Amino acid sequence: MPQPDDRRDDLGALLHRLVRRVLELETPLLAARGVEMWDYAVLAALESGPAQTQARLAAAIGRDKTRLIASLDRLEGRGLVAREPDPADRRNRIVTLTPDGRALLAGCRADVRAMEEGLLADVPADDRAAFLRTLLRVAPPPAG
Amino acid sequence: MPQPDDRRDDLGALLHRLVRRVLELETPLLAARGVEMWDYAVLAALESGPAQTQARLAAAIGRDKTRLIASLDRLEGRGLVAREPDPADRRNRIVTLTPDGRALLAGCRADVRAMEEGLLADVPADDRAAFLRTLLRVAPPPAG
DNA sequence: TATTGTTATACTCTATAACTATA
DNA sequence: TATAGTTATAGAGTATAACAATA
């Protein structure tokens, strides 16, 4: 029996619980591959192509540019990404995924998707589709 | 045209963006009534009845018992909740919502629900229902 | 002067472990 | 001794502002 709508938990409470659960499941998967959560976010953001500036990359994953630097240092140190000065404007650093980075990303993503599959296993297919569709509509990626 | 499923953002990224957006919209509404986010979570958790112990209340809202205390101090100082020793075991403090607390909660909740309504305005009714149903199924409230 | 990346500083949040009072 | 609540301490995360290089 469904809850009357005015008695349900707030969206904030529902989302908070779900985010915590996803993080609990996801963190150990990434740690097993030596990757922290934000490092993974960086790798994933670079999959579709290089970032023209670090500031743009930071915005794409919803972080501050200053806090991105530790992730980039780690990833560059492991040869997973490369930072090259933009010849056209040498203030900018173009960040690209290396082949090793792409391979690691593929492994991480496979693990994460399997985790998500398990999480949503009990949800009927059409509810799942509506769920993802709604998430994408209500929280679209930043323009660009 | 829908994204192919393997190209969509991870659930973590989608949820992170949405939580941030909800928080951005919700925080000023609560601040206008002099309430912080976690204070509101406490009030909401007490709506259905008193908490028999502070530890149980903390668990209900997904927080540590030590971090609950500042909220309770604030709320008790404003006469919105009451902490009374349990006569049966005086180590426990029973936390109850006062009439003032209940009134403030009603106002906050109305504001929050209106915000949610606006956020989901573009989402078709059946998708919205599936969305909330799925959230509740995948991140159910803690037992008790 | 303005901007990119970087570093440094302070501030908040969180986790852990003591401490007290009851049992 | 064990537990509920409280307090204190240290650590991580975050925001802000300064700094160096380049435009």
Side-chain angles (χ1 to χ4, degrees):
Chain A
M1 184 178 299
Q3 280 182 310
D5 196 62
D6 62 320
R7 286 217 181 168
R8 72 166 168 82
D9 283 321
D10 293 323
L11 211 49
L14 291 167
L15 290 168
H16 177 247
R17 286 205 298 267
L18 180 52
V19 164
R20 295 253 299 214
R21 183 149 181 221
V22 168
L23 257 56
E24 273 170 19
L25 293 169
E26 192 164 327
T27 302
L29 296 180
L30 297 176
R33 295 183 183 272
V35 177
E36 297 186 13
M37 182 114 27
W38 285 113
D39 300 348
Y40 173 64
V42 169
L43 295 177
L46 294 174
E47 187 179 30
S48 57
Q52 293 308 312
T53 75
Q54 294 184 185
R56 216 174 291 183
L57 176 57
I61 65 175
R63 271 201 125 192
D64 195 275
K65 62 170 184 167
T66 64
R67 283 178 290 143
L68 183 70
I69 294 176
S71 290
L72 289 179
D73 288 346
R74 264 193 302 274
L75 295 170
E76 192 181 31
R78 292 174 63 190
L80 302 171
V81 307
R83 277 191 275 206
E84 312 162 45
D86 179 355
D89 182 342
R90 304 216 342 254
R91 290 174 303 183
N92 297 341
R93 306 293 181 86
I94 299 175
V95 187
T96 58
L97 207 54
T98 66
D100 278 1
R102 193 170 293 275
L104 181 60
L105 172 60
C108 289
R109 171 152 298 154
D111 289 348
V112 168
R113 288 301 156 91
M115 175 278 288
E116 292 178 358
E117 195 62 30
L119 189 69
L120 298 173
D122 287 345
V123 179
D126 48 351
D127 272 19
R128 195 188 311 196
F131 178 67
L132 291 170
R133 189 163 57 232
T134 302
L135 275 180
L136 202 60
R137 172 174 285 191
V138 174
Chain B
M1 183 177 300
Q3 281 183 311
D5 196 62
D6 61 322
R7 285 214 183 170
R8 71 166 168 82
D9 283 321
D10 292 322
L11 211 49
L14 291 166
L15 291 169
H16 178 247
R17 286 205 298 267
L18 180 52
V19 164
R20 296 253 297 213
R21 182 148 181 224
V22 168
L23 256 56
E24 273 170 18
L25 294 168
E26 192 165 327
T27 303
L29 296 180
L30 296 175
R33 295 183 182 270
V35 177
E36 297 186 14
M37 182 114 28
W38 284 113
D39 299 349
Y40 172 64
V42 169
L43 295 177
L46 293 175
E47 188 180 29
S48 57
Q52 293 309 312
T53 75
Q54 294 184 185
R56 216 175 289 183
L57 176 57
I61 65 175
R63 272 203 121 191
D64 195 275
K65 63 170 183 167
T66 65
R67 282 177 286 145
L68 183 70
I69 293 174
S71 290
L72 290 178
D73 289 346
R74 263 192 303 273
L75 295 170
E76 191 181 32
R78 293 174 61 189
L80 302 171
V81 306
R83 279 191 273 206
E84 312 161 46
D86 179 355
D89 181 344
R90 306 219 337 256
R91 291 174 302 184
N92 297 341
R93 305 292 180 87
I94 298 175
V95 186
T96 59
L97 206 54
T98 66
D100 279 0
R102 192 170 295 276
L104 181 61
L105 171 61
C108 290
R109 169 151 301 154
D111 290 348
V112 167
R113 287 300 156 90
M115 176 276 290
E116 294 178 357
E117 195 62 30
L119 188 70
L120 297 173
D122 289 344
V123 178
D126 47 352
D127 272 19
R128 195 189 308 198
F131 178 68
L132 291 170
R133 190 163 56 233
T134 302
L135 274 180
L136 202 60
R137 172 174 284 192
V138 174

